[in-house]
């Protein structure tokens, strides 16, 4: 009798098994076994909300202080499918705060000089050191994005300080950041799109960032967007959807010194005519907005996201103090067809933390030994589960 290969298991059986695994990180690890398992896992593993460990208050609760829990050795991920919060043991984040994620890796910054910066995969605990943050005018609004997985030898890392306008890049292994000289513009968002970095500011000005030595930027002259005249308070996000570059404009009110979102507009860049074209429907897709972490995804793979909707999160760190004092609704979904907003994820943890999207990167690792170890453990666990729950019926 011929031996059956694990990679040859039918998709239907794999789905049945994976969907019965309670811990989403066990599902993630199943995606490391082989290509066929990875293809199944990517259809059921949901995006998470990364709860920042940033923030603290004075003893009398009258002032907000930017600091992390120095002794905390974990990070919190909120499962958007089950509304459960998962605490991941990560001793590597002690005395650090994480400003976001890119390609499933956290960006951690040490609170103590010289403010070391690392890329950290919270599910595999792989860690890659980057140059220290002292060149970047360390502030609470620092964001870091990568052009690819940090394990990719072509990976570029872009760091941006939104309020200060500091902008720099490096490659994993570099000893220092390469600064974009004379770049003092306050940017809303950055994106890596088709091999290049682009940025946008609150006025809708669009920049092409050249990561060379010296680093330079070029303003791309586009027909200006007419933002809603009655509401000057807005934020621009860049996101790729089905190979197209979109600009999503988020409009907000600020009563009582705190923000809440009430409207969105979406535009697609016509590269030939150099004009933004208004989009009224994104089809069977959803857009997940977050500073430096916006993504789009087909909703057919994720049952908890609705088609033609924009999912927005409260990624404004400076608003934490006011959110702690009253109920502020600034995380939810916007239906592009009905123009209605549904507020989501209303828990004390979500309300008191700046958020960012975290999308696990399912990678078939090539390190010898690691793969075999994980594969054997997962296979034994799945065989035991299958024998107990299905094989006896």
């Amino acid at each position: 009798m011929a031996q059956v290969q694990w990679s040859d298991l039918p998709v239907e059986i794999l789905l049945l098994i994976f969907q019965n695994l309670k811990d989403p990180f066990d599902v993630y690890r199943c995606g490391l076994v082989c290509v066929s398992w990875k293809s199944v896992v990517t259809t059921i593993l949901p995006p998470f909300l990364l709860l920042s460990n940033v923030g603290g208050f004075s003893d009398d609760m009258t002032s907000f202080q930017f600091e992390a829990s120095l002794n905390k050795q974990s990070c919190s991920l909120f499962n958007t499918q089950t509304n459960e919060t998962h605490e991941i043991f990560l001793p590597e984040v002690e005395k650090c705060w994480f400003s976001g994620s890119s390609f499933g890796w956290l960006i951690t910054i040490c609170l103590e000089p010289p403010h070391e910066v690392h890329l950290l995969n919270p599910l595999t605990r792989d860690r890659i050191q980057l140059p220290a943050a002292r060149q970047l005018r360390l502030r609470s609004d620092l964001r870091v994005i990568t052009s690819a997985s940090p394990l990719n030898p072509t990976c570029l890392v872009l760091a941006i300080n939104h309020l200060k306008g500091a902008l720099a890049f490096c490659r994993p292994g570099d000893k220092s950041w390469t600064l974009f000289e004379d770049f003092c513009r306050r940017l809303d968002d950055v994106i890596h799109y088709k091999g290049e970095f682009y940025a946008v500011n609150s006025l809708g000005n669009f920049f092409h960032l050249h990561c060379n030595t010296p680093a330079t930027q070029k303003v791309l002259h586009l027909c200006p967007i007419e933002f809603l005249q009655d509401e000057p308070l807005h934020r621009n996000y860049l996101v790729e959807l089905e190979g197209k570059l979109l600009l999503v404009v988020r409009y907000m009110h600020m009563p009582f010194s705190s923000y809440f979102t009430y409207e969105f507009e979406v535009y697609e860049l016509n590269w030939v005519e150099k004009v933004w074209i208004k989009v009224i429907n994104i089809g069977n897709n959803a857009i997940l907005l977050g500073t430096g972490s916006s993504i789009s995804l087909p909703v057919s793979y994720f049952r908890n996201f609705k088609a033609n909707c924009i999912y927005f999160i409260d990624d404004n760190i400076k608003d934490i103090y006011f959110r702690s004092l009253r109920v502020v609704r600034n995380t939810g979904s916007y239906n592009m067809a009905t123009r209605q907003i549904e507020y989501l994820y209303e828990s004390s943890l979500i309300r008191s933390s700046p958020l960012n999207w975290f999308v696990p990167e399912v990678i078939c690792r090539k390190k010898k030994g690691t793969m075999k170890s994980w594969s054997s453990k997962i296979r034994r666990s799945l065989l035991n589960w299958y024998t107990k729950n299905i094989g006896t019926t």
Side-chain angles (χ1 to χ4, degrees):
M1 182 176 178
Q3 184 178 5
V4 178
Q5 298 295 321
W6 283 90
S7 59
D8 294 333
L9 281 176
V11 171
E12 294 79 7
I13 293 181
L14 289 175
L15 278 172
L16 179 63
I17 296 173
F18 294 165
Q19 288 172 349
N20 277 274
L21 295 175
K22 297 185 181 300
D23 191 332
F25 307 120
D26 288 340
V27 179
Y28 168 85
R29 293 172 183 123
C30 287
L32 304 178
V33 172
C34 61
V35 175
S36 62
W37 287 28
K38 172 185 175 181
S39 64
V40 176
V41 166
T42 54
T43 66
I44 63 174
L45 195 63
F48 294 85
L49 283 175
L50 172 65
L51 279 62
S52 177
N53 63 340
V54 66
F57 293 89
S58 59
D59 293 337
D60 58 3
M61 292 295 291
T62 59
S63 63
F64 176 76
Q65 301 169 343
F66 177 72
E67 59 182 20
S69 301
L70 292 181
N71 297 322
K72 187 173 182 180
Q73 296 184 341
S74 64
C75 78
S76 302
L77 295 178
F78 181 82
N79 190 326
T80 57
Q81 280 189 352
T82 64
N83 290 338
E84 296 176 338
T85 301
H86 303 272
E87 199 78 11
I88 306 177
F89 175 65
L90 281 177
E92 294 86 353
V93 302
E94 185 177 13
K95 297 186 179 180
C96 297
W97 62 276
F98 26 91
S99 66
S101 70
S102 185
F103 283 89
W105 292 64
L106 302 182
I107 295 91
T108 67
I109 303 176
C110 182
L111 291 172
E112 299 177 346
H115 304 301
E116 291 185 349
V117 181
H118 289 89
L119 296 171
L120 172 65
N121 188 320
L123 304 183
T124 65
R125 292 177 62 178
D126 287 333
R127 190 164 72 157
I128 298 175
Q129 186 167 4
L130 300 178
R134 55 176 173 265
Q135 294 175 266
L136 305 177
R137 308 172 195 172
L138 182 64
R139 286 286 300 270
S140 61
D141 56 347
L142 185 68
R143 291 287 189 265
V144 178
I145 68 169
T146 64
S147 63
S149 165
L151 299 179
N152 189 320
T154 65
C155 177
L156 282 171
V157 182
L158 186 73
I160 174 175
N161 186 302
H162 292 274
L163 293 180
K164 287 291 186 178
L167 192 65
F169 80 93
C170 76
R171 293 175 175 82
D174 286 354
K175 300 300 182 183
S176 62
W177 294 92
T178 300
L179 296 174
F180 286 77
E181 299 296 339
D182 301 323
F183 195 90
C184 299
R185 303 173 180 87
R186 292 175 59 174
L187 298 176
D188 273 3
D189 202 12
V190 292
I191 190 174
H192 186 261
Y193 174 75
K194 293 188 175 181
E196 302 289 341
F197 282 107
Y198 297 93
V200 66
N201 65 9
S202 61
L203 300 177
N205 296 326
F206 191 57
F207 304 92
H208 184 189
L209 307 177
H210 298 277
C211 295
N212 302 311
T213 305
T216 60
Q217 67 278 343
K218 177 183 179 182
V219 178
L220 300 182
H221 298 285
L222 309 175
C223 293
I225 296 174
E226 294 185 3
F227 298 109
L228 294 180
Q229 298 299 317
D230 296 335
E231 185 51 70
L233 184 61
H234 65 270
R235 184 157 193 167
N236 297 321
Y237 297 84
L238 297 171
V239 61
E240 182 176 355
L241 173 67
E242 297 179 341
K244 302 171 184 177
L245 183 60
L246 302 185
L247 174 70
V248 181
V249 187
R250 175 180 182 174
Y251 293 98
M252 295 171 284
H253 283 313
M254 193 177 66
F256 311 113
S257 301
S258 189
Y259 301 100
F260 77 89
T261 301
Y262 74 94
E263 181 66 271
F264 287 90
E265 289 183 321
V266 181
Y267 297 87
E268 176 191 337
L269 180 57
N270 184 318
W271 293 88
V272 177
E273 301 294 332
K274 299 186 183 302
V275 62
W276 292 104
I277 301 173
K278 195 165 187 178
V279 176
I280 60 174
N281 193 307
I282 58 173
N284 196 38
N285 299 290
I287 291 176
L288 280 53
L289 282 189
T291 304
S293 66
S294 298
I295 61 170
S296 64
L297 49 82
V299 297
S300 56
Y301 288 161
F302 304 98
R303 62 181 181 272
N304 58 315
F305 293 110
K306 299 177 182 179
N308 201 29
C309 288
I310 299 171
Y311 288 80
F312 58 96
I313 56 178
D314 205 339
D315 52 3
N316 187 351
I317 292 179
K318 295 300 182 183
D319 199 32
I320 301 174
Y321 174 68
F322 298 104
R323 280 186 272 134
S324 69
L325 300 181
R326 64 179 68 89
V327 176
V328 177
R329 293 180 165 184
N330 211 18
T331 298
S333 67
Y334 173 83
N335 189 307
M336 293 187 62
T338 64
R339 300 178 63 184
Q340 298 296 311
I341 285 180
E342 177 185 3
Y343 294 102
L344 304 171
Y345 318 133
E346 295 186 18
S347 72
S348 58
L349 283 175
I350 294 295
R351 186 165 61 87
S352 62
S353 172
L355 305 171
N356 228 312
W357 292 105
F358 175 81
V359 181
E361 183 187 26
V362 183
I363 306 171
C364 291
R365 294 201 274 173
K366 298 180 180 179
K367 296 180 181 179
K368 294 183 179 179
T370 306
M371 194 65 170
K372 181 178 179 181
S373 174
W374 270 117
S375 300
S376 60
K377 291 180 181 178
I378 294 170
R379 288 171 181 170
R380 284 198 302 270
S381 299
L382 290 177
L383 181 60
N384 293 336
W385 180 91
Y386 182 85
T387 303
K388 179 179 178 181
N389 294 276
I390 298 178
T392 58
T393 60

